[in-house]
Amino acid sequence: MPKIYPIGGGKGGVGKSFVAASLGAMIAQHGKTVALLDLDLGASNLHTFLGMSAPKDGLNLFLNKTAQNLERVAVPTPVTNLFLISSSTCSMEIANLFYAQKIKLINAVKKLPFDYVLIDLGAGTNFNTLDFFLTSSKGIFVCTPEPTSIENAFRFIKAVYLRKIKQLIRQHDFDARVNAAILDTDSSAVKSQDLLDMVSKDDPEKASLLKAHIGRFQFKLILNQFRRSADTSLGNKIEAVCNRHFYSPFEFLGQVAFDERVIDSIYARKLYITAYPATITAMDLKQIAELLANPQPAPSLRQQAP
Amino acid sequence: MKTFENENYYEILQVPANARADEIKQAYRDALAIYETESVATYSLFSEEQRERLLQAIETAFGTLINEDKRTAYNQMLMATGQVDAANFSRQGQRQLAAYSDTGSPSTEKSLSQWVLKKADTPKIRQLIEAILSQDQLSGLALKQLREAYGIELSEIYAITKISGDSLKRIEADQFEDLPAEVYLKQFLKSYADILHIDSRHVVDGYLKSMARDRAEKGAVRPRPLL
Ligand SMILES: Nc1ncnc2c1ncn2[C@@H]1O[C@H](COP(=O)(O)OP(=O)(O)O)[C@@H](O)[C@H]1O
Ligand SMILES: [Mg+2]
């Protein structure tokens, strides 16, 4: 099974696709095989960041059953060891994937014969995006240091959390009251913490089961488009506060500097890190790629005061 | 979402049970910087009500731990109820901690400046600042009063500026004979003024003027050489 890193974050334009393309290329340069999976269904543009034109075929062939295996629709990129599974040729309706197709896709992703799979996700918190994010026990969320972006990132994390808790509650035999609460709510009405509190009161044993499950999910944070004026301790602060108030471990992977040449590289149809390998932005990305290519043991849930 | 519900005051402020007063103050400021309404790090993370409760808990924890009597009573309660072992309150670990905190955490400067910005609006501080700005000359005592009104320790100024505590004391006591050379003095005064969030040019000029006057006065006492 490959190491799967879904890359999400709520807001559009924060740089999820840019980060996915750059990290994919850098991990491939470490000698690992990497598949980039573009699941920003209906708005895919990952190929552009790689300096490629839109592949003729991709995910569509897998979903319409022309291709038996998902790896068959992966195409090579200008970077050795790096492959792209594009959804640029999928019809617009694909954004509302059928449930059965979604499950089939998720299962196929887990069996991809690559060392790494990076999944580029779309903006927003629709169920498909959340379920793709939950394909793995580790997810990366990207945001910029602006309040609006952070707001969306927190909303995204809470939505992922709630989706996960709902999945778990469906899988395990829960109290009728809890079940009813899940079934007749949308994500805005019942918050994940309310659900957990509800379960905690009714059935402490089940609550600790839920906590144990979501405790296994690891969130990783990247702050992109970082400008000099921004608070350099922001990432660490978010990491600390999330570790303190959520039940899952959070790890701040690092910040990626803003660089106007990112746009230049897109116009020049070149992969940014190939065109500008010695910039601060490229160094920042390199550090993060190394963290992912040589993963450290999971961060402890919380640093307890001695 | 976990709140501070099951945490004792030390855990809320994330300080060890034998923390010194200045460490508690620093931890309190760090906590405010994270949990206050304008904090970017927790923007939209909590509902207004949750945030209110978290801040309330931080205030209560700080109010208790910074007051010696209240802290002693609280410690006794923690020990009596078996929540914290008596050994944790010992002063053993303190010296190590002091050495560690001397290196100054990277967040020290930021959280101190946020704290100062916040307090700069209180009537007492405003009065002191206005008094300084309205005068042409500035005594070290006025700086000291302002620093104390902010609740800032000399060691905290040292942690950021690396101006030694002795030099700072001399500056505050107007011991003009023992001050560092003027180039350094100007630099020191500027950093100090920046921390206190007061116009640094006015501070430097005012202090140097008061120093010059002092020299002139002392010079006048000395018998003048006969022509
Ligand atoms: N670190 C960066 N510095 C400068 N521009 C960036 C950076 N990261 C992303 N961008 C620009 O921001 C825009 C949005 O990036 P994109 O990756 O498409 O965001 P998303 O996938 O989150 O919607 C792109 O035009 C990209 O060039
Ligand atoms: Mg994108």
Side-chain angles (χ1 to χ4, degrees):
Chain A
M1 188 170 155
K3 288 204 172 70
I4 304 172
Y5 286 105
I7 300 177
K11 201 169 187 307
V14 293
K16 295 181 289 297
S17 302
F18 169 68
V19 165
S22 309
L23 292 181
M26 283 172 152
I27 296 173
Q29 285 167 353
H30 268 258
K32 318 261 188 199
T33 57
V34 183
L36 283 172
L37 175 55
D38 192 343
L39 285 184
D40 188 353
L41 301 176
S44 71
N45 58 8
L46 200 48
H47 51 89
T48 308
F49 287 94
L50 295 166
M52 301 162 68
S53 44
K56 277 205 217 66
D57 281 311
L59 201 58
N60 56 320
L61 293 187
F62 176 73
L63 292 176
N64 72 17
K65 299 184 180 158
T66 310
Q68 237 25 52
N69 290 324
L70 187 57
E71 65 261 33
R72 286 266 180 87
V73 304
V75 298
T77 69
V79 178
T80 317
N81 287 334
L82 181 68
F83 297 82
L84 172 66
I85 299 174
S86 172
S87 56
S88 62
T89 49
C90 294
S91 60
M92 285 306 279
E93 298 89 72
I94 192 166
N96 314 304
L97 214 56
F98 287 118
Y99 182 73
Q101 283 182 311
K102 181 165 72 183
I103 301 300
K104 184 183 158 195
L105 179 56
I106 288 175
N107 286 332
V109 169
K110 289 183 181 168
K111 287 194 215 111
L112 277 171
F114 294 88
D115 297 328
Y116 284 79
V117 176
L118 303 191
I119 307 178
D120 183 25
L121 294 174
T125 55
N126 72 52
F127 288 163
N128 282 341
T129 306
L130 297 178
D131 288 341
F132 292 142
F133 197 79
L134 286 167
T135 305
S136 161
S137 63
K138 305 178 182 87
I140 297 175
F141 66 100
V142 177
C143 63
T144 68
E146 282 105 57
T148 46
S149 167
I150 288 172
E151 178 173 18
N152 283 10
F154 282 141
R155 189 175 300 144
F156 182 76
I157 295 166
K158 286 179 186 174
V160 168
Y161 234 61
L162 183 57
R163 185 82 178 153
K164 181 77 195 171
I165 291 177
K166 285 186 177 186
Q167 270 182 8
L168 288 166
I169 290 182
R170 278 204 198 88
Q171 283 162 14
H172 299 83
D173 194 30
F174 271 86
D175 180 283
R177 203 166 70 84
V178 177
N179 269 319
I182 310 162
L183 292 178
D184 70 15
T185 51
D186 58 286
S187 58
S188 58
V190 169
K191 310 242 169 58
S192 49
Q193 58 263 38
D194 303 339
L195 264 185
L196 258 180
D197 291 345
M198 206 188 278
V199 180
S200 295
K201 282 203 197 81
D202 289 2
D203 191 343
E205 209 171 292
K206 288 252 164 58
S208 48
L209 177 129
L210 284 186
K211 284 176 193 167
H213 269 277
I214 49 184
R216 265 179 242 145
F217 195 87
Q218 296 173 33
F219 285 94
K220 303 188 183 282
L221 160 67
I222 294 173
L223 285 177
N224 187 34
Q225 306 195 27
F226 210 86
R227 292 171 200 258
R228 286 232 186 100
S229 56
D231 174 5
T232 48
S233 64
L234 184 61
N236 290 319
K237 279 189 198 149
I238 296 178
E239 177 190 271
V241 88
C242 286
N243 276 324
R244 207 166 175 193
H245 296 287
F246 289 111
Y247 291 95
S248 321
F250 282 72
E251 183 188 10
F252 174 50
L253 290 178
Q255 56 216 24
V256 178
F258 178 88
D259 183 5
E260 277 162 8
R261 287 166 289 189
V262 171
I263 308 269
D264 298 345
S265 70
I266 293 171
Y267 279 115
R269 298 187 154 266
K270 291 223 172 72
L271 180 64
Y272 170 79
I273 57 152
T274 315
Y276 302 100
T279 58
I280 296 175
T281 302
M283 298 297 165
D284 289 343
L285 287 161
K286 193 162 178 232
Q287 270 189 6
I288 296 174
E290 264 156 30
L291 280 179
L292 296 179
N294 310 304
Q296 307 292 310
S300 64
L301 253 176
R302 185 177 150 201
Q303 303 236 301
Q304 206 86 39
Chain B
M1 192 172 280
K2 290 180 275 189
T3 52
F4 296 155
E5 258 149 50
N6 300 318
E7 301 191 358
N8 70 40
Y9 294 163
Y10 293 101
E11 289 167 336
I12 288 175
L13 292 180
Q14 301 190 296
V15 291
N18 60 6
R20 296 185 319 249
D22 61 317
E23 289 165 340
I24 291 170
K25 249 188 227 175
Q26 182 62 47
Y28 169 61
R29 286 179 200 145
D30 289 345
L32 285 187
I34 284 189
Y35 290 97
E36 68 189 2
T37 327
E38 304 97 85
S39 162
V40 180
T42 53
Y43 181 71
S44 83
L45 179 59
F46 305 112
S47 69
E48 231 168 273
E49 191 197 332
Q50 277 174 326
R51 191 183 293 278
E52 195 79 4
R53 262 187 301 173
L54 291 169
L55 283 170
Q56 193 58 55
I58 290 168
E59 292 297 338
T60 311
F62 177 68
T64 305
L65 298 188
I66 205 63
N67 177 309
E68 236 171 271
D69 295 337
K70 286 189 195 166
R71 185 175 176 185
T72 310
Y74 184 70
N75 288 352
Q76 266 153 8
M77 186 279 292
L78 288 178
M79 285 185 280
T81 52
Q83 295 182 62
V84 176
D85 198 79
N88 290 325
F89 296 111
S90 86
R91 301 185 155 262
Q92 196 70 60
Q94 279 192 0
R95 231 158 272 125
Q96 286 166 355
L97 246 165
Y100 164 78
S101 71
D102 268 354
T103 60
S105 73
S107 71
T108 308
E109 189 165 355
K110 188 96 196 171
S111 65
L112 188 65
S113 91
Q114 278 169 348
W115 164 267
V116 166
L117 269 178
K118 216 169 144 166
K119 288 211 80 170
D121 253 358
T122 57
K124 184 174 174 200
I125 302 264
R126 241 195 244 163
Q127 231 174 31
L128 287 169
I129 290 182
E130 272 162 24
I132 291 177
L133 293 180
S134 68
Q135 280 170 15
D136 198 32
Q137 296 182 13
L138 173 66
S139 88
L141 185 64
L143 286 176
K144 183 178 178 190
Q145 282 170 342
L146 181 58
R147 172 176 65 74
E148 287 175 346
Y150 275 120
I152 299 174
E153 311 282 334
L154 281 179
S155 62
E156 294 176 285
I157 308 257
Y158 167 75
I160 293 170
T161 62
K162 300 293 174 223
I163 309 172
S164 77
D166 280 349
S167 295
L168 284 167
K169 270 189 207 148
R170 280 191 221 113
I171 291 175
E172 288 186 345
D174 291 338
Q175 289 180 17
F176 301 123
E177 322 70 64
D178 304 323
L179 290 183
E182 196 168 304
V183 267
Y184 298 114
L185 179 64
K186 277 186 182 167
Q187 198 52 52
F188 286 3
L189 286 167
K190 182 177 178 319
S191 321
Y192 191 2
D194 285 342
I195 291 177
L196 299 182
H197 212 69
I198 178 167
D199 180 37
S200 60
R201 201 185 292 161
H202 186 90
V203 167
V204 175
D205 288 352
Y207 196 88
L208 291 183
K209 265 187 205 152
S210 130
M211 199 163 107
R213 196 196 57 180
D214 179 78
R215 276 209 189 119
E217 276 170 7
K218 283 190 181 137
V221 176
R222 234 180 281 146
R224 290 186 164 219
L226 291 171
L227 280 173

